[in-house]
Amino acid sequence: MGFVPTMGALHEGHAALIRAAKEATSFVVVSIFVNPTQFGPNEDFAKYPRTLDADRDLSAKAGADLIFAPTPAEMYPDFSVTVVDVTKLDEPLCGASRPGHFRGVCTVVLKLFNIVLPDVAVFGAKDAQQTRIIRQMVRDLNVPVTVQVEPTVREADGLAMSSRNRYQSAAERAVAPRIYESLQAIRSRALAGEWDVARLESALAAQLAAIPGARVDYARIVDDVTLQPLTRLDRPALAAVAVVLGATRLIDNVTIP
Ligand code: AMP
């Protein structure tokens, strides 16, 4: 059995995960659950898009056999008090600006694994820190699931597909592709021989800050495995960014090399 956990508002990125799960297994479950515990108090839980009918169609077309769409009360009965913390890996990047976010993610993903009992669970590379944290949880807690990670699916102009892209105004949507362009530029510079991480990070931050209306939450180049800071590009690295554009916080990443 294959499993694709999602929060709904599905797009072609999710469809690619469902197709990959269907290639790896013979029966695919898609969960659709906007998980309250992974949203901070000032985040968009209440207005996160909920599009169940369209999600059902997209999932079926991509090869899903079953949709699991529980309610928050079903997932979190009164007096639910156990949580999963993957320490260290949850400190940098999104963990720094979204305290408790990965605790919510890990807790719900482990609960979903225990309900669905999949052999293979498929996640997207767009959420780079999440994939590393889930792999670590599976390893540390001996969870009998194979984690598979699929590449980020992008719009034609390079913008990483996201359920939150629908919040963007036309002006924001027009400049949003510059996030991935900045990541690619920094990757090219690294491949061309610039090994100094501080120089690369400040160039990346400057390019992102030049996007009209953008506020850079973080622009980091870290160890691809441990997510810890690097000074020189002497091992596989992850360039990861979060940019607030208008009302929307967008994340993206590339690996180096
Ligand atoms: P979400 O419902 O968007 O929070 O994410 C559900 C799953 O879809 C996660 O594993 C995400 O990493 C993955 N995902 C979201 N956007 C994309 C994308 N553009 N390409 C590939 N996977 C994605």
Side-chain angles (χ1 to χ4, degrees), residues 46-131:
K47 68 180 183 85
Y48 196 84
R50 286 157 172 92
T51 60
L52 188 56
D53 290 336
D55 292 349
R56 209 183 271 122
D57 288 351
L58 181 145
S59 300
K61 285 200 184 90
D65 296 285
L66 188 141
I67 292 180
F68 177 53
T71 64
E74 285 171 317
M75 287 301 284
Y76 298 106
D78 283 348
F79 206 68
S80 294
V81 295
T82 307
V83 296
V84 181
D85 266 326
V86 174
T87 61
K88 300 262 186 269
L89 289 178
D90 70 348
E91 287 167 8
L93 310 178
C94 287
S97 40
R98 303 186 71 187
H101 169 68
F102 289 113
R103 169 185 294 166
V105 169
C106 289
T107 304
V108 82
V109 167
L110 186 61
K111 284 164 68 70
L112 290 167
F113 283 176
N114 286 334
I115 294 165
V116 175
L117 297 175
D119 301 288
V120 178
V122 185
F123 294 85
K126 191 184 82 115
D127 296 86
Q129 187 172 16
Q130 173 172 283
T131 63

Coordinates of all heavy atoms in Angstrom, one line a residue, residues 46-131:
A46 N -7.4 28.8 9.6 CA -8.8 29.0 9.3 C -9.1 29.3 7.8 O -10.1 28.8 7.2 CB -9.4 30.2 10.1
K47 N -8.2 30.0 7.1 CA -8.4 30.3 5.7 C -7.6 29.4 4.8 O -7.6 29.7 3.6 CB -8.3 31.8 5.5 CG -6.9 32.4 5.5 CD -6.9 33.9 5.2 CE -5.5 34.5 5.2 NZ -4.8 34.4 4.0
Y48 N -7.0 28.4 5.3 CA -6.3 27.5 4.3 C -7.4 26.9 3.4 O -8.5 26.5 3.8 CB -5.7 26.3 5.1 CG -4.6 25.6 4.3 CD1 -3.3 26.0 4.2 CD2 -5.0 24.4 3.6 CE1 -2.4 25.4 3.4 CE2 -4.1 23.8 2.8 CZ -2.8 24.2 2.7 OH -1.9 23.6 1.9
P49 N -7.1 26.9 2.0 CA -8.1 26.5 1.1 C -8.6 25.0 1.3 O -7.8 24.1 1.5 CB -7.4 26.6 -0.3 CG -6.0 26.7 0.0 CD -5.8 27.3 1.4
R50 N -9.9 24.9 1.3 CA -10.5 23.5 1.4 C -11.4 23.3 0.2 O -12.4 23.9 -0.1 CB -11.3 23.4 2.7 CG -10.4 23.4 4.0 CD -11.1 23.8 5.2 NE -10.4 23.6 6.4 CZ -9.5 24.5 7.0 NH1 -9.2 25.6 6.4 NH2 -8.9 24.2 8.2
T51 N -10.9 22.3 -0.6 CA -11.5 22.1 -2.0 C -11.8 20.6 -2.2 O -11.3 20.0 -3.2 CB -10.6 22.6 -3.1 OG1 -9.3 21.9 -3.0 CG2 -10.3 24.1 -2.9
L52 N -12.5 19.9 -1.3 CA -12.6 18.5 -1.2 C -13.1 17.9 -2.5 O -12.6 16.8 -3.0 CB -13.5 18.0 0.0 CG -13.5 16.5 0.2 CD1 -12.0 15.9 0.4 CD2 -14.3 16.2 1.4
D53 N -14.1 18.5 -3.2 CA -14.7 17.8 -4.4 C -13.6 17.8 -5.5 O -13.4 16.8 -6.1 CB -15.9 18.6 -4.9 CG -17.1 18.4 -3.9 OD1 -17.1 17.3 -3.2 OD2 -18.0 19.2 -3.9
A54 N -12.9 18.9 -5.7 CA -11.9 19.0 -6.7 C -10.7 18.0 -6.4 O -10.1 17.3 -7.2 CB -11.4 20.4 -6.9
D55 N -10.4 17.9 -5.1 CA -9.3 17.1 -4.6 C -9.7 15.6 -4.9 O -8.8 14.8 -5.3 CB -9.1 17.2 -3.1 CG -8.6 18.6 -2.7 OD1 -8.2 19.3 -3.6 OD2 -8.5 18.9 -1.5
R56 N -10.9 15.2 -4.7 CA -11.4 13.9 -5.0 C -11.1 13.5 -6.5 O -10.6 12.5 -6.8 CB -12.8 13.7 -4.6 CG -13.2 12.4 -4.2 CD -14.7 12.3 -3.9 NE -15.1 12.7 -2.6 CZ -15.9 13.6 -2.2 NH1 -16.5 14.4 -3.1 NH2 -16.2 13.9 -1.0
D57 N -11.5 14.4 -7.4 CA -11.3 14.2 -8.8 C -9.9 14.1 -9.2 O -9.4 13.1 -9.9 CB -11.9 15.4 -9.6 CG -13.4 15.4 -9.6 OD1 -14.0 14.4 -9.1 OD2 -14.0 16.4 -10.1
L58 N -9.1 15.0 -8.7 CA -7.6 15.0 -9.0 C -7.0 13.7 -8.5 O -6.2 13.1 -9.2 CB -7.0 16.3 -8.4 CG -5.5 16.4 -8.7 CD1 -5.1 17.9 -8.9 CD2 -4.6 15.8 -7.6
S59 N -7.3 13.3 -7.3 CA -6.7 12.1 -6.7 C -7.1 10.9 -7.5 O -6.2 10.1 -7.8 CB -7.2 11.9 -5.3 OG -6.9 13.0 -4.5
A60 N -8.4 10.8 -7.9 CA -8.8 9.6 -8.6 C -8.1 9.6 -10.0 O -7.6 8.5 -10.4 CB -10.3 9.7 -8.8
K61 N -8.0 10.7 -10.7 CA -7.4 10.7 -12.0 C -5.9 10.4 -11.9 O -5.3 9.7 -12.8 CB -7.5 12.1 -12.6 CG -8.9 12.4 -13.1 CD -8.9 13.6 -14.2 CE -10.3 13.9 -14.6 NZ -10.9 14.9 -13.8
A62 N -5.3 10.7 -10.8 CA -3.8 10.4 -10.6 C -3.6 9.0 -10.2 O -2.5 8.5 -10.1 CB -3.2 11.4 -9.6
G63 N -4.7 8.2 -9.8 CA -4.5 6.8 -9.5 C -4.8 6.5 -8.0 O -4.6 5.3 -7.6
A64 N -5.4 7.4 -7.2 CA -5.6 7.1 -5.8 C -6.8 6.1 -5.7 O -7.8 6.2 -6.5 CB -6.0 8.4 -5.1
D65 N -6.7 5.2 -4.8 CA -7.8 4.2 -4.6 C -8.7 4.6 -3.5 O -9.9 4.1 -3.4 CB -7.2 2.8 -4.3 CG -6.4 2.3 -5.5 OD1 -7.0 1.9 -6.5 OD2 -5.2 2.4 -5.5
L66 N -8.2 5.4 -2.5 CA -9.0 5.7 -1.3 C -8.6 7.0 -0.8 O -7.4 7.3 -0.8 CB -8.8 4.6 -0.3 CG -9.7 4.6 1.0 CD1 -10.1 3.2 1.3 CD2 -9.0 5.3 2.1
I67 N -9.6 7.8 -0.4 CA -9.3 9.1 0.2 C -9.7 9.0 1.7 O -10.8 8.6 2.0 CB -10.0 10.3 -0.4 CG1 -9.4 10.5 -1.8 CG2 -9.9 11.6 0.4 CD1 -10.0 11.6 -2.6
F68 N -8.8 9.4 2.6 CA -9.0 9.5 4.0 C -9.1 10.9 4.4 O -8.1 11.6 4.3 CB -7.9 8.7 4.8 CG -8.1 8.7 6.3 CD1 -9.3 8.3 6.9 CD2 -7.0 9.1 7.1 CE1 -9.4 8.4 8.2 CE2 -7.2 9.2 8.4 CZ -8.4 8.8 9.0
A69 N -10.3 11.4 4.8 CA -10.4 12.8 5.1 C -11.1 13.0 6.5 O -12.3 13.2 6.6 CB -11.2 13.6 4.0
P70 N -10.3 12.8 7.5 CA -10.9 12.8 8.9 C -11.2 14.2 9.3 O -10.6 15.2 8.7 CB -9.8 12.2 9.7 CG -8.5 12.5 9.0 CD -8.8 12.5 7.5
T71 N -11.9 14.4 10.4 CA -12.2 15.7 11.0 C -11.1 15.9 12.1 O -10.6 14.9 12.6 CB -13.6 15.8 11.6 OG1 -13.6 14.8 12.7 CG2 -14.7 15.5 10.6
P72 N -10.9 17.2 12.5 CA -10.0 17.4 13.6 C -10.4 16.6 14.9 O -9.5 16.1 15.6 CB -10.0 18.9 13.8 CG -10.4 19.4 12.4 CD -11.3 18.4 11.8
A73 N -11.7 16.5 15.1 CA -12.1 15.8 16.4 C -11.8 14.3 16.3 O -11.6 13.7 17.3 CB -13.6 16.1 16.6
E74 N -11.9 13.8 15.1 CA -11.5 12.4 14.9 C -10.0 12.1 15.1 O -9.6 11.1 15.7 CB -12.0 11.9 13.5 CG -13.4 11.7 13.4 CD -13.9 11.4 11.9 OE1 -13.4 12.1 11.0 OE2 -14.7 10.5 11.8
M75 N -9.2 13.1 14.6 CA -7.8 12.9 14.7 C -7.3 13.2 16.1 O -6.3 12.7 16.6 CB -7.1 13.8 13.7 CG -7.1 13.3 12.3 SD -6.5 11.6 12.1 CE -4.7 11.9 12.1
Y76 N -7.9 14.2 16.8 CA -7.5 14.7 18.1 C -8.7 14.6 19.1 O -9.3 15.7 19.4 CB -6.9 16.1 18.0 CG -5.7 16.2 17.1 CD1 -5.8 16.8 15.9 CD2 -4.5 15.7 17.6 CE1 -4.6 16.9 15.1 CE2 -3.3 15.8 16.8 CZ -3.4 16.4 15.5 OH -2.3 16.5 14.7
P77 N -9.1 13.4 19.5 CA -10.1 13.4 20.6 C -9.7 14.1 21.8 O -8.5 14.4 22.0 CB -10.2 11.9 20.9 CG -9.5 11.2 19.8 CD -8.5 12.1 19.2
D78 N -10.6 14.5 22.6 CA -10.3 15.3 23.9 C -9.2 14.5 24.6 O -9.1 13.3 24.7 CB -11.5 15.4 24.8 CG -12.4 16.4 24.2 OD1 -12.0 17.2 23.4 OD2 -13.6 16.5 24.7
F79 N -8.3 15.3 25.2 CA -7.2 14.8 26.0 C -6.2 14.0 25.2 O -5.9 12.9 25.5 CB -7.6 14.1 27.3 CG -6.6 14.1 28.3 CD1 -6.2 15.3 29.0 CD2 -5.9 13.0 28.7 CE1 -5.2 15.4 29.9 CE2 -4.9 13.0 29.7 CZ -4.6 14.2 30.3
S80 N -5.9 14.5 24.0 CA -4.7 13.9 23.2 C -3.5 14.7 23.7 O -3.4 15.9 23.5 CB -4.9 14.2 21.7 OG -6.1 13.5 21.2
V81 N -2.6 14.0 24.3 CA -1.4 14.6 24.9 C -0.1 14.2 24.5 O 1.0 14.6 25.0 CB -1.5 14.5 26.5 CG1 -2.8 15.3 27.0 CG2 -1.6 13.1 26.9
T82 N 0.0 13.2 23.6 CA 1.3 12.6 23.1 C 1.7 13.3 21.9 O 0.9 13.5 20.9 CB 1.2 11.1 22.9 OG1 0.6 10.5 24.1 CG2 2.5 10.5 22.6
V83 N 3.0 13.7 21.8 CA 3.5 14.4 20.6 C 4.8 13.8 20.2 O 5.5 13.1 21.0 CB 3.7 15.9 20.9 CG1 2.4 16.6 21.1 CG2 4.7 16.2 22.0
V84 N 5.2 14.1 19.0 CA 6.5 13.6 18.5 C 7.4 14.8 18.2 O 7.0 15.6 17.4 CB 6.4 12.7 17.2 CG1 7.7 12.2 16.7 CG2 5.4 11.6 17.4
D85 N 8.6 14.8 18.8 CA 9.5 15.9 18.6 C 10.8 15.3 17.9 O 11.5 14.5 18.6 CB 9.9 16.6 19.9 CG 9.1 17.8 20.2 OD1 8.7 18.5 19.2 OD2 8.9 18.0 21.4
V86 N 11.1 15.7 16.7 CA 12.4 15.3 16.2 C 13.3 16.5 16.4 O 13.2 17.6 15.8 CB 12.3 15.0 14.6 CG1 13.7 14.8 14.0 CG2 11.4 13.8 14.4
T87 N 14.2 16.3 17.4 CA 15.0 17.5 17.9 C 16.1 17.8 16.9 O 16.2 17.0 15.9 CB 15.6 17.2 19.3 OG1 16.4 16.1 19.2 CG2 14.5 16.9 20.3
K88 N 16.8 18.9 17.1 CA 18.0 19.3 16.3 C 17.5 19.7 14.8 O 17.7 20.8 14.5 CB 19.0 18.2 16.2 CG 19.6 17.8 17.5 CD 20.9 18.6 17.8 CE 21.6 18.1 19.1 NZ 21.1 18.9 20.3
L89 N 17.0 18.7 14.1 CA 16.6 19.0 12.7 C 15.5 20.0 12.7 O 15.2 20.6 11.6 CB 16.2 17.7 12.0 CG 17.3 16.7 11.7 CD1 16.7 15.5 11.0 CD2 18.3 17.3 10.7
D90 N 14.7 20.2 13.8 CA 13.6 21.1 13.8 C 14.0 22.5 14.2 O 13.2 23.4 14.3 CB 12.5 20.6 14.7 CG 12.8 20.6 16.2 OD1 14.0 20.9 16.5 OD2 11.9 20.5 17.0
E91 N 15.3 22.7 14.4 CA 15.7 24.0 15.0 C 15.9 25.1 13.9 O 15.5 26.2 14.0 CB 17.0 23.9 15.8 CG 16.7 23.2 17.2 CD 18.0 22.8 17.9 OE1 19.1 23.1 17.5 OE2 17.8 22.1 18.9
P92 N 16.6 24.8 12.7 CA 16.9 25.8 11.8 C 15.7 26.1 10.8 O 14.7 25.5 11.0 CB 18.1 25.2 11.0 CG 17.9 23.8 11.0 CD 17.3 23.5 12.4
L93 N 16.0 26.9 9.8 CA 15.1 27.1 8.7 C 13.7 27.4 9.1 O 13.4 28.3 10.0 CB 15.2 25.9 7.7 CG 16.6 25.5 7.3 CD1 16.6 24.3 6.4 CD2 17.4 26.7 6.6
C94 N 12.7 26.6 8.6 CA 11.3 26.9 9.0 C 11.0 26.7 10.5 O 10.1 27.3 11.0 CB 10.4 26.0 8.2 SG 10.2 26.4 6.5
G95 N 11.8 25.8 11.1 CA 11.6 25.5 12.5 C 11.9 26.8 13.4 O 11.2 27.0 14.4
A96 N 12.8 27.7 12.9 CA 13.1 28.9 13.7 C 11.9 29.9 13.6 O 11.7 30.5 14.6 CB 14.4 29.5 13.1
S97 N 11.3 30.0 12.5 CA 10.2 31.0 12.4 C 8.8 30.4 12.6 O 7.8 31.1 12.8 CB 10.2 31.7 11.0 OG 10.5 30.8 10.0
R98 N 8.7 29.0 12.7 CA 7.4 28.4 13.0 C 7.5 27.4 14.2 O 7.5 26.2 14.0 CB 6.9 27.6 11.7 CG 6.8 28.5 10.5 CD 6.2 27.7 9.3 NE 4.8 27.5 9.5 CZ 4.0 26.8 8.7 NH1 4.6 26.1 7.7 NH2 2.7 26.6 9.0
P99 N 7.7 28.0 15.4 CA 7.9 27.1 16.6 C 6.7 26.1 16.7 O 5.6 26.5 16.6 CB 7.9 28.1 17.8 CG 7.7 29.4 17.2 CD 7.6 29.4 15.8
G100 N 7.1 24.8 16.9 CA 6.0 23.8 17.1 C 5.5 23.2 15.8 O 4.8 22.3 15.8
H101 N 5.9 23.9 14.7 CA 5.3 23.4 13.4 C 5.7 21.9 13.1 O 4.8 21.1 12.8 CB 5.9 24.3 12.2 CG 5.6 23.7 10.9 ND1 4.3 23.6 10.3 CD2 6.4 23.2 9.9 CE1 4.4 23.1 9.1 NE2 5.6 22.8 8.8
F102 N 6.9 21.6 13.3 CA 7.4 20.2 12.9 C 6.9 19.2 14.0 O 6.7 18.0 13.7 CB 8.9 20.1 12.7 CG 9.3 20.8 11.4 CD1 10.0 21.9 11.4 CD2 8.8 20.3 10.2 CE1 10.4 22.6 10.2 CE2 9.2 20.9 9.0 CZ 9.9 22.0 9.0
R103 N 6.7 19.6 15.2 CA 6.0 18.7 16.2 C 4.6 18.4 15.7 O 4.2 17.2 15.8 CB 5.9 19.5 17.5 CG 5.1 18.7 18.6 CD 4.9 19.5 19.8 NE 6.2 19.6 20.5 CZ 6.5 20.5 21.5 NH1 5.5 21.3 21.9 NH2 7.6 20.6 22.0
G104 N 3.9 19.3 15.2 CA 2.6 19.1 14.7 C 2.6 18.2 13.5 O 1.8 17.2 13.4
V105 N 3.6 18.4 12.6 CA 3.7 17.6 11.4 C 4.0 16.1 11.8 O 3.4 15.2 11.3 CB 4.8 18.2 10.4 CG1 5.2 17.2 9.3 CG2 4.4 19.5 9.9
C106 N 5.1 16.0 12.6 CA 5.5 14.6 13.0 C 4.4 13.8 13.7 O 4.2 12.7 13.4 CB 6.8 14.6 13.8 SG 8.2 15.1 12.8
T107 N 3.7 14.5 14.6 CA 2.7 13.9 15.4 C 1.6 13.4 14.4 O 1.1 12.2 14.5 CB 2.1 14.8 16.5 OG1 3.2 15.2 17.3 CG2 1.1 14.1 17.3
V108 N 1.1 14.3 13.5 CA 0.0 13.9 12.6 C 0.5 12.8 11.7 O -0.3 11.9 11.3 CB -0.6 15.1 12.0 CG1 0.1 15.5 10.7 CG2 -2.1 14.7 11.6
V109 N 1.7 12.9 11.1 CA 2.2 11.9 10.2 C 2.3 10.6 10.8 O 1.9 9.5 10.2 CB 3.5 12.4 9.5 CG1 4.1 11.3 8.7 CG2 3.2 13.6 8.5
L110 N 2.8 10.5 12.0 CA 2.9 9.2 12.7 C 1.6 8.6 13.0 O 1.3 7.4 12.8 CB 3.8 9.3 14.0 CG 4.0 8.0 14.7 CD1 4.8 7.0 13.7 CD2 4.8 8.1 16.0
K111 N 0.6 9.5 13.4 CA -0.8 9.0 13.6 C -1.3 8.5 12.3 O -2.0 7.4 12.3 CB -1.6 10.2 14.2 CG -1.4 10.5 15.6 CD -2.0 11.8 16.1 CE -3.5 11.9 16.0 NZ -4.1 11.1 17.1
L112 N -1.1 9.2 11.2 CA -1.7 8.8 9.9 C -1.0 7.5 9.5 O -1.7 6.6 9.0 CB -1.4 9.9 8.9 CG -2.3 11.1 9.0 CD1 -1.8 12.3 8.1 CD2 -3.8 10.8 8.7
F113 N 0.3 7.3 9.7 CA 1.0 6.1 9.4 C 0.3 4.9 10.2 O 0.1 3.8 9.6 CB 2.5 6.1 9.8 CG 3.3 6.9 8.8 CD1 4.7 7.0 9.1 CD2 2.8 7.4 7.6 CE1 5.5 7.7 8.2 CE2 3.7 8.1 6.7 CZ 5.0 8.3 7.0
N114 N 0.0 5.1 11.4 CA -0.6 4.1 12.3 C -2.0 3.8 11.9 O -2.5 2.7 12.2 CB -0.5 4.5 13.8 CG 1.0 4.4 14.3 OD1 1.8 3.6 13.8 ND2 1.3 5.1 15.3
I115 N -2.7 4.7 11.3 CA -4.1 4.5 10.9 C -4.1 3.8 9.6 O -4.8 2.8 9.4 CB -4.9 5.8 10.8 CG1 -5.0 6.4 12.2 CG2 -6.2 5.6 10.2 CD1 -5.4 7.9 12.2
V116 N -3.3 4.3 8.6 CA -3.3 3.8 7.3 C -2.5 2.5 7.1 O -2.8 1.6 6.3 CB -2.8 4.9 6.3 CG1 -2.7 4.4 4.9 CG2 -3.8 6.1 6.4
L117 N -1.4 2.4 7.9 CA -0.5 1.2 7.8 C 0.1 1.0 6.4 O 0.0 -0.1 5.8 CB -1.1 -0.1 8.3 CG -1.5 0.0 9.8 CD1 -2.3 -1.3 10.1 CD2 -0.3 0.1 10.7
P118 N 0.7 2.1 5.8 CA 1.2 2.0 4.4 C 2.6 1.3 4.4 O 3.3 1.2 5.5 CB 1.4 3.4 4.0 CG 1.7 4.1 5.3 CD 0.9 3.4 6.3
D119 N 3.0 0.7 3.3 CA 4.3 0.2 3.1 C 5.2 1.3 2.6 O 6.4 1.4 3.0 CB 4.3 -0.9 2.0 CG 3.4 -2.0 2.4 OD1 3.8 -2.8 3.3 OD2 2.3 -2.1 1.8
V120 N 4.7 2.2 1.7 CA 5.5 3.3 1.2 C 4.8 4.6 1.4 O 3.6 4.6 1.1 CB 5.7 3.1 -0.3 CG1 6.5 4.2 -1.0 CG2 6.5 1.7 -0.6
A121 N 5.4 5.6 1.9 CA 4.8 6.9 2.0 C 5.6 7.9 1.1 O 6.8 7.9 1.2 CB 4.8 7.4 3.5
V122 N 4.9 8.7 0.4 CA 5.6 9.6 -0.6 C 5.4 11.1 -0.2 O 4.3 11.5 0.1 CB 5.0 9.4 -2.0 CG1 5.8 10.2 -3.1 CG2 5.0 7.9 -2.4
F123 N 6.5 11.8 -0.2 CA 6.6 13.2 0.2 C 7.3 14.0 -1.0 O 8.0 13.4 -1.8 CB 7.3 13.4 1.5 CG 6.7 12.7 2.7 CD1 6.8 11.4 2.9 CD2 5.8 13.5 3.5 CE1 6.2 10.8 4.0 CE2 5.2 12.9 4.5 CZ 5.3 11.6 4.8
G124 N 7.1 15.3 -1.0 CA 7.6 16.2 -2.0 C 8.9 16.9 -1.5 O 9.0 17.3 -0.4
A125 N 9.9 17.0 -2.4 CA 11.1 17.6 -2.1 C 11.0 19.1 -1.8 O 11.8 19.8 -1.2 CB 12.1 17.5 -3.3
K126 N 9.8 19.7 -2.2 CA 9.6 21.1 -1.9 C 9.7 21.4 -0.5 O 10.2 22.5 -0.1 CB 8.3 21.6 -2.5 CG 8.2 23.1 -2.4 CD 6.8 23.6 -2.8 CE 5.9 23.5 -1.6 NZ 5.4 24.7 -1.1
D127 N 9.2 20.5 0.4 CA 9.3 20.7 1.8 C 10.6 20.0 2.3 O 10.5 18.9 2.9 CB 8.1 20.2 2.5 CG 6.8 21.0 2.0 OD1 6.3 20.7 1.0 OD2 6.5 21.9 2.7
A128 N 11.7 20.5 2.0 CA 13.0 19.8 2.2 C 13.3 19.5 3.7 O 13.7 18.4 4.0 CB 14.1 20.7 1.7
Q129 N 13.0 20.4 4.6 CA 13.3 20.1 6.0 C 12.3 19.1 6.5 O 12.7 18.2 7.2 CB 13.1 21.4 6.8 CG 13.5 21.3 8.2 CD 13.5 22.6 9.0 OE1 12.9 23.6 8.5 NE2 14.1 22.7 10.1
Q130 N 11.0 19.1 6.0 CA 10.1 18.1 6.4 C 10.5 16.7 6.0 O 10.4 15.8 6.7 CB 8.7 18.5 5.7 CG 7.6 17.4 5.9 CD 6.3 17.9 5.4 OE1 5.6 18.7 6.1 NE2 5.9 17.5 4.2
T131 N 11.0 16.6 4.7 CA 11.4 15.2 4.3 C 12.5 14.7 5.2 O 12.5 13.5 5.5 CB 11.9 15.2 2.8 OG1 13.1 16.0 2.7 CG2 10.8 15.7 1.9

